[in-house]
Amino acid sequence: MSEQTAVKGDWVRLHIVAMKPEERTGHLPEDTKGVPLEMWVKGFLQNDSAACGDEVQVKTRTGRLVKGTLTEINPSYSHSFGQTIPELLHIGPQVREMVFGGELNNG
């Protein structure tokens, strides 16, 4: 069985520990204080290639660069609209390029 590998530009999901338990505020319920604050982010892989478990960087749909641990390649949405269609992920940036001559500058 071969492990699936993502390549630069693939749609992937990351896991990030935003805060370790000891870094969290003391003004939390006891059961919350004892666990890390975690987040999951989807984006386009910026590394040349990677496998699940690798530390990688992605560019989100909003243009943010985020680093974390690769957990899933080509993740689907969990609200039952079906599998991600990679070709549709590029429509927004292509339209901005055609209409505005480049990516929308949010900064």
Side-chain angles (χ1 to χ4, degrees), residues 7-71:
V7 296
K8 188 171 186 169
D10 281 353
W11 185 243
V12 297
R13 182 177 183 214
L14 304 185
H15 173 254
I16 301 157
V17 175
M19 280 191 233
K20 297 175 185 172
E22 61 272 13
E23 298 171 328
R24 299 187 74 172
T25 181
H27 303 289
L28 294 172
E30 287 302 317
D31 59 344
T32 303
K33 275 193 239 184
V35 296
L37 177 62
E38 301 174 279
M39 62 188 252
W40 288 262
V41 176
K42 293 178 186 174
F44 297 101
L45 184 65
Q46 298 299 291
N47 302 62
D48 289 333
S49 67
C52 287
D54 290 347
E55 291 297 314
V56 298
Q57 183 175 44
V58 298
K59 186 173 188 177
T60 68
R61 295 292 310 259
T62 60
R64 290 185 311 130
L65 292 174
V66 180
K67 292 181 182 180
T69 304
L70 180 62
T71 60

